[in-house]
Amino acid sequence: MELGMCGAASQCPPLSHREDLWVRGGRILDPEKLFFEERRVADEQRDCGGRILAPGFIDVQINGGFGIDFSQATEDVGAGVALVARRILSHGVTSFCPTLVTSPPEVYHKVLPQIPVKSGGPHGAGVLGVHLEGPFISREKRGAHPEAHLCSFEANAFQDVLATYGPLDNVRIVTLAPELGRSHEVIQALTAHGICVSLGHSVADLRAAEEAVRSGATFITHLFNAMLPFHHRDPGIVGLLTSDQLPPGRCIFYGMIADGMHTNPAALRIAHRAHPQGLVLVTDAVPALGLGNGRHTLGQQEVEVDGLTAYIAGTKTLCGSIAPMDVCVRHFLQATGCSVESALEAASLHPAQLLGLEKRKGTLDFGADADFVVLDDSLHVQATYISGELVWQAEEARQ
Ligand SMILES: [Zn+2]
């Protein structure tokens, strides 16, 4: 298909330094080449009315939403993933990593084969592969992960990992605690399989964290949450943001839940100012995402949703994040005072770089997949496109 977008805003120059965007066959085209080669540009032209054009958002940590829990071993996991994939289009998410929390081996064996990597389209955001958070994590920093199913690496290290998860074909990210014995072997083996290793739910000190990075780890799972707090004599995993002991040229990325609840705005600013290029916005959303205010039954428990918070019903215990990605982008922008461009890159370019997809996703460069969002000045999503195809549009944008 061909699509011309004219008059796209220039509020965020490196992302939309062109006034328009030409798409064919799902890819972004170089319009000059197109002009000279074909003497013709596009069949269809749309005026974006001065709105912001940005790469589609990528969520590398999302546990479910709209009542769906990816960690539930049902017969029809695929239908649940498809529902979430469709609903997150309205939040500008064009691809994601469904995330499983610590589970017994039989859950991984049943669920993982049901979540293949899949291209996005009108049916929903693309699946880039699964993020497995646990079970190889710290008992002390397990957070909401069930203690009974936590594991350490035993004598066979990587073989034990395979026995726990089953085949890793659909796996993109594994979060583990690097202080567990034999973690280096496992990190090296996972990395050799092309899987991104993330450090989290951990009591590792900085030295252990640096060693894990030298073994191949490239990501930190929800910085500040479920790790040792920053201490000036041993800053722990947080210290990786400014470490001088990382392999030359290596960029460490870190996930942040910018929902206004899980991370204080001052902490967001500290992380962003220390290492802006590594910041990856994640929702870490739970099944209560998108359910609306009121009481809902989720698995074994009742939850009460009130605005952007989800409580265990009848208590003030928070049970996970329910802010969608576009809300996180807006909150992050407002909390850090960063540029619009930086806020958008934290939800698009950086997660793409983390996964080694920056040539295809998270960018509006020529040749990239035409996954993009159209936003108004306050960064509310007006329309979402995947491979150049309109897959979602706001009510007001339709008129
Ligand atoms: Zn977590």
Side-chain angles (χ1 to χ4, degrees):
M1 80 165 284
E2 296 178 27
L3 172 76
M5 306 212 68
C6 298
S10 53
Q11 281 97 329
C12 47
L15 287 173
S16 55
H17 50 90
R18 298 176 302 282
E19 285 286 298
D20 45 22
L21 183 64
W22 304 105
V23 178
R24 181 177 295 162
R27 297 283 170 98
I28 296 172
L29 286 180
D30 181 341
E32 276 181 35
K33 254 194 196 159
L34 190 73
F35 181 77
F36 287 114
E37 283 169 12
E38 312 220 354
R39 298 268 163 196
R40 183 172 74 86
V41 273
D43 295 335
E44 189 187 350
Q45 292 200 353
R46 266 170 218 240
D47 189 348
C48 284
R51 295 188 184 122
I52 297 170
L53 208 54
F57 301 150
I58 302 170
D59 191 352
V60 299
Q61 188 169 6
I62 170 169
N63 306 287
F66 316 96
I68 303 293
D69 180 357
F70 299 142
S71 302
Q72 288 287 327
T74 64
E75 295 302 326
D76 205 1
V77 177
V81 173
L83 172 75
V84 173
R86 198 166 61 245
R87 298 286 299 271
I88 56 180
L89 293 175
S90 66
H91 301 294
V93 178
T94 51
S95 45
F96 69 116
C97 295
T99 304
L100 267 58
V101 295
T102 294
S103 306
E106 54 272 24
V107 170
Y108 296 117
H109 290 252
K110 181 154 188 170
V111 172
L112 278 177
Q114 295 188 64
I115 315 182
V117 173
K118 193 174 174 185
S119 300
H123 56 274
V127 175
L128 298 171
V130 177
H131 179 167
L132 297 175
E133 193 189 14
F136 304 99
I137 56 173
S138 154
R139 210 157 282 275
E140 288 142 79
K141 292 292 178 188
R142 68 184 182 278
H145 290 240
E147 187 171 15
H149 303 305
L150 297 181
C151 296
S152 48
F153 303 119
E154 301 302 330
N156 296 318
F158 189 56
Q159 289 309 314
D160 295 338
V161 173
L162 290 176
T164 301
Y165 293 144
L168 297 173
D169 307 343
N170 301 340
V171 178
R172 197 66 194 241
I173 304 173
V174 170
T175 291
L176 54 79
E179 69 273 20
L180 297 177
R182 313 198 69 161
S183 68
H184 301 293
E185 280 169 59
V186 173
I187 293 171
Q188 282 165 2
L190 287 170
T191 307
H193 278 75
I195 293 168
C196 162
V197 173
S198 187
L199 309 178
H201 286 277
S202 158
V203 293
D205 59 15
L206 179 57
R207 242 169 48 115
E210 286 168 340
E211 223 167 287
V213 172
R214 286 194 289 270
S215 294
T218 52
F219 194 38
I220 303 170
T221 296
H222 45 56
L223 188 81
F224 297 126
N225 291 285
M227 59 187 61
L228 292 180
F230 179 88
H231 187 283
H232 58 288
R233 277 193 295 277
D234 189 346
I237 291 178
V238 178
L240 286 177
L241 269 60
T242 52
S243 170
D244 58 359
Q245 298 298 312
L246 306 183
R250 177 81 68 82
C251 176
I252 186 89
F253 291 93
Y254 58 99
M256 295 224 72
I257 311 167
D259 65 348
M261 313 282 165
H262 283 74
T263 320
N264 184 285
L268 259 179
R269 285 192 284 275
I270 286 176
H272 179 250
R273 288 180 194 173
H275 184 31
Q277 303 310 324
L279 198 148
V280 174
L281 290 174
V282 298
T283 62
D284 201 11
V286 295
L289 164 74
L291 289 187
N293 287 347
R295 247 177 214 229
H296 307 279
T297 309
L298 281 178
Q300 308 302 314
Q301 61 188 8
E302 282 229 305
V303 298
E304 181 129 29
V305 173
D306 180 13
L308 285 181
T309 48
Y311 299 106
I312 309 263
T315 74
K316 284 287 164 203
T317 308
L318 282 173
C319 60
S321 163
I322 54 167
M325 187 56 102
D326 57 325
V327 171
C328 292
V329 171
R330 292 194 292 271
H331 176 74
F332 173 64
L333 174 72
Q334 188 244 328
T336 60
C338 69
S339 64
V340 167
E341 169 209 342
S342 299
L344 295 170
E345 286 185 348
S348 57
L349 178 64
H350 298 172
Q353 289 171 327
L354 166 73
L355 299 176
L357 296 172
E358 69 273 15
K359 293 263 185 291
R360 282 177 44 214
K361 309 234 178 252
T363 171
L364 297 180
D365 277 351
F366 305 138
D369 294 349
D371 297 354
F372 56 92
V373 286
V374 179
L375 305 136
D376 66 16
D377 285 351
S378 57
L379 298 189
H380 286 86
V381 181
Q382 297 297 301
T384 305
Y385 290 77
I386 293 180
S387 298
E389 193 175 350
L390 177 67
V391 293
W392 183 84
Q393 192 171 27
E395 205 63 56
E396 63 266 29
R398 282 182 207 155
Q399 287 139 23

PDB file of all heavy atoms in Angstrom, residues 223-252:
ATOM      1  N   LEU A 223      13.881  -0.434  37.257  1.00  0.00           N
ATOM      2  CA  LEU A 223      14.892   0.192  38.111  1.00  0.00           C
ATOM      3  C   LEU A 223      14.264   0.727  39.399  1.00  0.00           C
ATOM      4  O   LEU A 223      13.174   1.303  39.368  1.00  0.00           O
ATOM      5  CB  LEU A 223      15.552   1.353  37.355  1.00  0.00           C
ATOM      6  CG  LEU A 223      16.762   1.976  38.046  1.00  0.00           C
ATOM      7  CD1 LEU A 223      18.008   1.139  37.800  1.00  0.00           C
ATOM      8  CD2 LEU A 223      16.995   3.405  37.589  1.00  0.00           C
ATOM      9  N   PHE A 224      14.978   0.563  40.478  1.00  0.00           N
ATOM     10  CA  PHE A 224      14.612   0.988  41.841  1.00  0.00           C
ATOM     11  C   PHE A 224      13.646   0.012  42.513  1.00  0.00           C
ATOM     12  O   PHE A 224      13.717  -0.173  43.722  1.00  0.00           O
ATOM     13  CB  PHE A 224      13.998   2.398  41.903  1.00  0.00           C
ATOM     14  CG  PHE A 224      14.908   3.505  41.457  1.00  0.00           C
ATOM     15  CD1 PHE A 224      14.505   4.386  40.462  1.00  0.00           C
ATOM     16  CD2 PHE A 224      16.165   3.675  42.023  1.00  0.00           C
ATOM     17  CE1 PHE A 224      15.337   5.429  40.049  1.00  0.00           C
ATOM     18  CE2 PHE A 224      17.003   4.710  41.607  1.00  0.00           C
ATOM     19  CZ  PHE A 224      16.590   5.590  40.628  1.00  0.00           C
ATOM     20  N   ASN A 225      12.724  -0.577  41.739  1.00  0.00           N
ATOM     21  CA  ASN A 225      11.757  -1.497  42.342  1.00  0.00           C
ATOM     22  C   ASN A 225      12.369  -2.893  42.437  1.00  0.00           C
ATOM     23  O   ASN A 225      12.957  -3.389  41.473  1.00  0.00           O
ATOM     24  CB  ASN A 225      10.462  -1.564  41.514  1.00  0.00           C
ATOM     25  CG  ASN A 225       9.670  -0.272  41.584  1.00  0.00           C
ATOM     26  OD1 ASN A 225       9.029   0.029  42.580  1.00  0.00           O
ATOM     27  ND2 ASN A 225       9.746   0.524  40.530  1.00  0.00           N
ATOM     28  N   ALA A 226      12.219  -3.534  43.609  1.00  0.00           N
ATOM     29  CA  ALA A 226      12.684  -4.914  43.826  1.00  0.00           C
ATOM     30  C   ALA A 226      14.196  -5.076  43.671  1.00  0.00           C
ATOM     31  O   ALA A 226      14.678  -6.049  43.086  1.00  0.00           O
ATOM     32  CB  ALA A 226      11.932  -5.898  42.932  1.00  0.00           C
ATOM     33  N   MET A 227      14.959  -4.099  44.169  1.00  0.00           N
ATOM     34  CA  MET A 227      16.425  -4.231  44.219  1.00  0.00           C
ATOM     35  C   MET A 227      16.919  -3.455  45.430  1.00  0.00           C
ATOM     36  O   MET A 227      16.123  -2.763  46.086  1.00  0.00           O
ATOM     37  CB  MET A 227      17.074  -3.726  42.926  1.00  0.00           C
ATOM     38  CG  MET A 227      16.798  -2.287  42.577  1.00  0.00           C
ATOM     39  SD  MET A 227      17.420  -1.831  40.937  1.00  0.00           S
ATOM     40  CE  MET A 227      16.499  -2.932  39.872  1.00  0.00           C
ATOM     41  N   LEU A 228      18.215  -3.575  45.750  1.00  0.00           N
ATOM     42  CA  LEU A 228      18.727  -2.834  46.901  1.00  0.00           C
ATOM     43  C   LEU A 228      18.612  -1.347  46.625  1.00  0.00           C
ATOM     44  O   LEU A 228      18.845  -0.900  45.504  1.00  0.00           O
ATOM     45  CB  LEU A 228      20.198  -3.200  47.149  1.00  0.00           C
ATOM     46  CG  LEU A 228      20.468  -4.623  47.623  1.00  0.00           C
ATOM     47  CD1 LEU A 228      21.974  -4.820  47.813  1.00  0.00           C
ATOM     48  CD2 LEU A 228      19.726  -4.939  48.924  1.00  0.00           C
ATOM     49  N   PRO A 229      18.244  -0.572  47.654  1.00  0.00           N
ATOM     50  CA  PRO A 229      18.186   0.869  47.440  1.00  0.00           C
ATOM     51  C   PRO A 229      19.588   1.438  47.229  1.00  0.00           C
ATOM     52  O   PRO A 229      20.575   0.851  47.670  1.00  0.00           O
ATOM     53  CB  PRO A 229      17.565   1.400  48.733  1.00  0.00           C
ATOM     54  CG  PRO A 229      17.785   0.335  49.750  1.00  0.00           C
ATOM     55  CD  PRO A 229      17.878  -0.962  49.020  1.00  0.00           C
ATOM     56  N   PHE A 230      19.656   2.548  46.550  1.00  0.00           N
ATOM     57  CA  PHE A 230      20.947   3.197  46.281  1.00  0.00           C
ATOM     58  C   PHE A 230      21.661   3.506  47.594  1.00  0.00           C
ATOM     59  O   PHE A 230      21.101   4.102  48.500  1.00  0.00           O
ATOM     60  CB  PHE A 230      20.706   4.499  45.503  1.00  0.00           C
ATOM     61  CG  PHE A 230      21.960   5.257  45.191  1.00  0.00           C
ATOM     62  CD1 PHE A 230      22.679   4.982  44.036  1.00  0.00           C
ATOM     63  CD2 PHE A 230      22.430   6.239  46.047  1.00  0.00           C
ATOM     64  CE1 PHE A 230      23.840   5.671  43.745  1.00  0.00           C
ATOM     65  CE2 PHE A 230      23.598   6.931  45.759  1.00  0.00           C
ATOM     66  CZ  PHE A 230      24.300   6.646  44.607  1.00  0.00           C
ATOM     67  N   HIS A 231      22.901   3.068  47.698  1.00  0.00           N
ATOM     68  CA  HIS A 231      23.750   3.439  48.839  1.00  0.00           C
ATOM     69  C   HIS A 231      25.062   3.961  48.270  1.00  0.00           C
ATOM     70  O   HIS A 231      25.614   3.370  47.343  1.00  0.00           O
ATOM     71  CB  HIS A 231      23.998   2.224  49.735  1.00  0.00           C
ATOM     72  CG  HIS A 231      24.720   2.580  51.005  1.00  0.00           C
ATOM     73  ND1 HIS A 231      26.063   2.824  51.041  1.00  0.00           N
ATOM     74  CD2 HIS A 231      24.258   2.760  52.270  1.00  0.00           C
ATOM     75  CE1 HIS A 231      26.420   3.134  52.282  1.00  0.00           C
ATOM     76  NE2 HIS A 231      25.334   3.108  53.044  1.00  0.00           N
ATOM     77  N   HIS A 232      25.561   5.045  48.842  1.00  0.00           N
ATOM     78  CA  HIS A 232      26.712   5.693  48.206  1.00  0.00           C
ATOM     79  C   HIS A 232      27.977   4.840  48.211  1.00  0.00           C
ATOM     80  O   HIS A 232      28.842   4.996  47.363  1.00  0.00           O
ATOM     81  CB  HIS A 232      26.987   7.055  48.854  1.00  0.00           C
ATOM     82  CG  HIS A 232      27.249   6.979  50.320  1.00  0.00           C
ATOM     83  ND1 HIS A 232      26.235   6.697  51.211  1.00  0.00           N
ATOM     84  CD2 HIS A 232      28.369   7.110  51.048  1.00  0.00           C
ATOM     85  CE1 HIS A 232      26.744   6.683  52.437  1.00  0.00           C
ATOM     86  NE2 HIS A 232      28.032   6.925  52.367  1.00  0.00           N
ATOM     87  N   ARG A 233      28.119   3.896  49.196  1.00  0.00           N
ATOM     88  CA  ARG A 233      29.322   3.050  49.179  1.00  0.00           C
ATOM     89  C   ARG A 233      29.109   1.796  48.328  1.00  0.00           C
ATOM     90  O   ARG A 233      30.069   1.205  47.851  1.00  0.00           O
ATOM     91  CB  ARG A 233      29.752   2.678  50.595  1.00  0.00           C
ATOM     92  CG  ARG A 233      30.581   3.787  51.239  1.00  0.00           C
ATOM     93  CD  ARG A 233      31.267   3.315  52.506  1.00  0.00           C
ATOM     94  NE  ARG A 233      30.313   2.984  53.551  1.00  0.00           N
ATOM     95  CZ  ARG A 233      29.762   3.878  54.376  1.00  0.00           C
ATOM     96  NH1 ARG A 233      30.080   5.158  54.263  1.00  0.00           N
ATOM     97  NH2 ARG A 233      28.902   3.516  55.285  1.00  0.00           N
ATOM     98  N   ASP A 234      27.872   1.401  48.185  1.00  0.00           N
ATOM     99  CA  ASP A 234      27.559   0.339  47.222  1.00  0.00           C
ATOM    100  C   ASP A 234      26.208   0.621  46.580  1.00  0.00           C
ATOM    101  O   ASP A 234      25.166   0.326  47.143  1.00  0.00           O
ATOM    102  CB  ASP A 234      27.547  -1.044  47.867  1.00  0.00           C
ATOM    103  CG  ASP A 234      27.438  -2.122  46.781  1.00  0.00           C
ATOM    104  OD1 ASP A 234      27.118  -1.765  45.612  1.00  0.00           O
ATOM    105  OD2 ASP A 234      27.681  -3.288  47.079  1.00  0.00           O
ATOM    106  N   PRO A 235      26.240   1.248  45.438  1.00  0.00           N
ATOM    107  CA  PRO A 235      24.974   1.658  44.812  1.00  0.00           C
ATOM    108  C   PRO A 235      24.164   0.507  44.214  1.00  0.00           C
ATOM    109  O   PRO A 235      23.103   0.752  43.653  1.00  0.00           O
ATOM    110  CB  PRO A 235      25.417   2.657  43.745  1.00  0.00           C
ATOM    111  CG  PRO A 235      26.838   2.343  43.464  1.00  0.00           C
ATOM    112  CD  PRO A 235      27.424   1.713  44.687  1.00  0.00           C
ATOM    113  N   GLY A 236      24.669  -0.738  44.319  1.00  0.00           N
ATOM    114  CA  GLY A 236      23.903  -1.888  43.822  1.00  0.00           C
ATOM    115  C   GLY A 236      23.663  -1.814  42.322  1.00  0.00           C
ATOM    116  O   GLY A 236      24.426  -1.177  41.578  1.00  0.00           O
ATOM    117  N   ILE A 237      22.601  -2.458  41.880  1.00  0.00           N
ATOM    118  CA  ILE A 237      22.279  -2.485  40.440  1.00  0.00           C
ATOM    119  C   ILE A 237      22.084  -1.072  39.899  1.00  0.00           C
ATOM    120  O   ILE A 237      22.449  -0.770  38.763  1.00  0.00           O
ATOM    121  CB  ILE A 237      21.019  -3.353  40.199  1.00  0.00           C
ATOM    122  CG1 ILE A 237      21.353  -4.835  40.466  1.00  0.00           C
ATOM    123  CG2 ILE A 237      20.499  -3.186  38.776  1.00  0.00           C
ATOM    124  CD1 ILE A 237      20.168  -5.775  40.309  1.00  0.00           C
ATOM    125  N   VAL A 238      21.541  -0.182  40.733  1.00  0.00           N
ATOM    126  CA  VAL A 238      21.313   1.203  40.304  1.00  0.00           C
ATOM    127  C   VAL A 238      22.624   1.839  39.828  1.00  0.00           C
ATOM    128  O   VAL A 238      22.643   2.634  38.884  1.00  0.00           O
ATOM    129  CB  VAL A 238      20.692   2.041  41.455  1.00  0.00           C
ATOM    130  CG1 VAL A 238      20.499   3.496  41.038  1.00  0.00           C
ATOM    131  CG2 VAL A 238      19.360   1.437  41.900  1.00  0.00           C
ATOM    132  N   GLY A 239      23.739   1.428  40.443  1.00  0.00           N
ATOM    133  CA  GLY A 239      25.046   1.985  40.092  1.00  0.00           C
ATOM    134  C   GLY A 239      25.477   1.700  38.664  1.00  0.00           C
ATOM    135  O   GLY A 239      26.377   2.360  38.140  1.00  0.00           O
ATOM    136  N   LEU A 240      24.843   0.727  38.007  1.00  0.00           N
ATOM    137  CA  LEU A 240      25.204   0.420  36.614  1.00  0.00           C
ATOM    138  C   LEU A 240      24.995   1.625  35.699  1.00  0.00           C
ATOM    139  O   LEU A 240      25.648   1.753  34.667  1.00  0.00           O
ATOM    140  CB  LEU A 240      24.370  -0.759  36.089  1.00  0.00           C
ATOM    141  CG  LEU A 240      24.725  -2.157  36.603  1.00  0.00           C
ATOM    142  CD1 LEU A 240      23.759  -3.177  36.030  1.00  0.00           C
ATOM    143  CD2 LEU A 240      26.166  -2.526  36.239  1.00  0.00           C
ATOM    144  N   LEU A 241      24.073   2.511  36.089  1.00  0.00           N
ATOM    145  CA  LEU A 241      23.763   3.663  35.228  1.00  0.00           C
ATOM    146  C   LEU A 241      24.975   4.563  35.022  1.00  0.00           C
ATOM    147  O   LEU A 241      25.076   5.246  34.001  1.00  0.00           O
ATOM    148  CB  LEU A 241      22.607   4.483  35.818  1.00  0.00           C
ATOM    149  CG  LEU A 241      21.200   4.080  35.364  1.00  0.00           C
ATOM    150  CD1 LEU A 241      20.860   2.661  35.712  1.00  0.00           C
ATOM    151  CD2 LEU A 241      20.160   5.032  35.944  1.00  0.00           C
ATOM    152  N   THR A 242      25.885   4.589  36.017  1.00  0.00           N
ATOM    153  CA  THR A 242      27.058   5.460  35.876  1.00  0.00           C
ATOM    154  C   THR A 242      28.358   4.675  36.048  1.00  0.00           C
ATOM    155  O   THR A 242      29.403   5.262  36.271  1.00  0.00           O
ATOM    156  CB  THR A 242      27.001   6.604  36.916  1.00  0.00           C
ATOM    157  OG1 THR A 242      26.800   6.032  38.214  1.00  0.00           O
ATOM    158  CG2 THR A 242      25.887   7.581  36.613  1.00  0.00           C
ATOM    159  N   SER A 243      28.299   3.369  35.938  1.00  0.00           N
ATOM    160  CA  SER A 243      29.495   2.539  36.139  1.00  0.00           C
ATOM    161  C   SER A 243      30.541   2.808  35.057  1.00  0.00           C
ATOM    162  O   SER A 243      30.210   3.025  33.895  1.00  0.00           O
ATOM    163  CB  SER A 243      29.098   1.059  36.097  1.00  0.00           C
ATOM    164  OG  SER A 243      30.251   0.255  36.052  1.00  0.00           O
ATOM    165  N   ASP A 244      31.833   2.751  35.479  1.00  0.00           N
ATOM    166  CA  ASP A 244      32.913   2.850  34.486  1.00  0.00           C
ATOM    167  C   ASP A 244      33.574   1.487  34.292  1.00  0.00           C
ATOM    168  O   ASP A 244      34.668   1.382  33.779  1.00  0.00           O
ATOM    169  CB  ASP A 244      33.942   3.906  34.915  1.00  0.00           C
ATOM    170  CG  ASP A 244      34.546   3.594  36.274  1.00  0.00           C
ATOM    171  OD1 ASP A 244      34.155   2.571  36.885  1.00  0.00           O
ATOM    172  OD2 ASP A 244      35.396   4.372  36.735  1.00  0.00           O
ATOM    173  N   GLN A 245      32.875   0.444  34.736  1.00  0.00           N
ATOM    174  CA  GLN A 245      33.443  -0.908  34.635  1.00  0.00           C
ATOM    175  C   GLN A 245      32.708  -1.762  33.606  1.00  0.00           C
ATOM    176  O   GLN A 245      32.768  -2.984  33.645  1.00  0.00           O
ATOM    177  CB  GLN A 245      33.363  -1.607  36.005  1.00  0.00           C
ATOM    178  CG  GLN A 245      34.156  -0.919  37.101  1.00  0.00           C
ATOM    179  CD  GLN A 245      35.650  -0.896  36.779  1.00  0.00           C
ATOM    180  OE1 GLN A 245      36.217  -1.921  36.417  1.00  0.00           O
ATOM    181  NE2 GLN A 245      36.267   0.272  36.881  1.00  0.00           N
ATOM    182  N   LEU A 246      31.988  -1.124  32.703  1.00  0.00           N
ATOM    183  CA  LEU A 246      31.252  -1.892  31.696  1.00  0.00           C
ATOM    184  C   LEU A 246      32.122  -2.033  30.438  1.00  0.00           C
ATOM    185  O   LEU A 246      32.991  -1.210  30.186  1.00  0.00           O
ATOM    186  CB  LEU A 246      29.939  -1.195  31.351  1.00  0.00           C
ATOM    187  CG  LEU A 246      29.022  -0.876  32.541  1.00  0.00           C
ATOM    188  CD1 LEU A 246      27.716  -0.252  32.058  1.00  0.00           C
ATOM    189  CD2 LEU A 246      28.739  -2.129  33.360  1.00  0.00           C
ATOM    190  N   PRO A 247      31.874  -3.067  29.658  1.00  0.00           N
ATOM    191  CA  PRO A 247      32.657  -3.219  28.420  1.00  0.00           C
ATOM    192  C   PRO A 247      32.523  -1.964  27.565  1.00  0.00           C
ATOM    193  O   PRO A 247      31.439  -1.376  27.502  1.00  0.00           O
ATOM    194  CB  PRO A 247      31.985  -4.418  27.741  1.00  0.00           C
ATOM    195  CG  PRO A 247      31.256  -5.137  28.823  1.00  0.00           C
ATOM    196  CD  PRO A 247      30.863  -4.111  29.826  1.00  0.00           C
ATOM    197  N   PRO A 248      33.612  -1.551  26.904  1.00  0.00           N
ATOM    198  CA  PRO A 248      33.583  -0.318  26.109  1.00  0.00           C
ATOM    199  C   PRO A 248      32.450  -0.346  25.084  1.00  0.00           C
ATOM    200  O   PRO A 248      32.218  -1.370  24.433  1.00  0.00           O
ATOM    201  CB  PRO A 248      34.936  -0.307  25.395  1.00  0.00           C
ATOM    202  CG  PRO A 248      35.764  -1.329  26.085  1.00  0.00           C
ATOM    203  CD  PRO A 248      34.871  -2.254  26.831  1.00  0.00           C
ATOM    204  N   GLY A 249      31.766   0.775  24.986  1.00  0.00           N
ATOM    205  CA  GLY A 249      30.709   0.901  23.981  1.00  0.00           C
ATOM    206  C   GLY A 249      29.397   0.250  24.370  1.00  0.00           C
ATOM    207  O   GLY A 249      28.421   0.330  23.631  1.00  0.00           O
ATOM    208  N   ARG A 250      29.348  -0.417  25.507  1.00  0.00           N
ATOM    209  CA  ARG A 250      28.113  -1.104  25.900  1.00  0.00           C
ATOM    210  C   ARG A 250      27.161  -0.119  26.575  1.00  0.00           C
ATOM    211  O   ARG A 250      27.537   0.591  27.485  1.00  0.00           O
ATOM    212  CB  ARG A 250      28.432  -2.241  26.870  1.00  0.00           C
ATOM    213  CG  ARG A 250      27.201  -2.970  27.399  1.00  0.00           C
ATOM    214  CD  ARG A 250      26.673  -3.986  26.423  1.00  0.00           C
ATOM    215  NE  ARG A 250      27.597  -5.089  26.279  1.00  0.00           N
ATOM    216  CZ  ARG A 250      27.650  -6.118  27.138  1.00  0.00           C
ATOM    217  NH1 ARG A 250      26.822  -6.187  28.137  1.00  0.00           N
ATOM    218  NH2 ARG A 250      28.527  -7.077  26.944  1.00  0.00           N
ATOM    219  N   CYS A 251      25.924  -0.092  26.084  1.00  0.00           N
ATOM    220  CA  CYS A 251      24.906   0.764  26.704  1.00  0.00           C
ATOM    221  C   CYS A 251      24.013  -0.130  27.554  1.00  0.00           C
ATOM    222  O   CYS A 251      23.471  -1.120  27.067  1.00  0.00           O
ATOM    223  CB  CYS A 251      24.075   1.457  25.626  1.00  0.00           C
ATOM    224  SG  CYS A 251      22.722   2.458  26.279  1.00  0.00           S
ATOM    225  N   ILE A 252      23.884   0.198  28.816  1.00  0.00           N
ATOM    226  CA  ILE A 252      22.974  -0.560  29.657  1.00  0.00           C
ATOM    227  C   ILE A 252      21.604   0.133  29.604  1.00  0.00           C
ATOM    228  O   ILE A 252      21.509   1.349  29.709  1.00  0.00           O
ATOM    229  CB  ILE A 252      23.509  -0.705  31.102  1.00  0.00           C
ATOM    230  CG1 ILE A 252      22.610  -1.614  31.929  1.00  0.00           C
ATOM    231  CG2 ILE A 252      23.698   0.624  31.797  1.00  0.00           C
ATOM    232  CD1 ILE A 252      22.976  -3.061  31.847  1.00  0.00           C
TER     233      ILE A 252
END
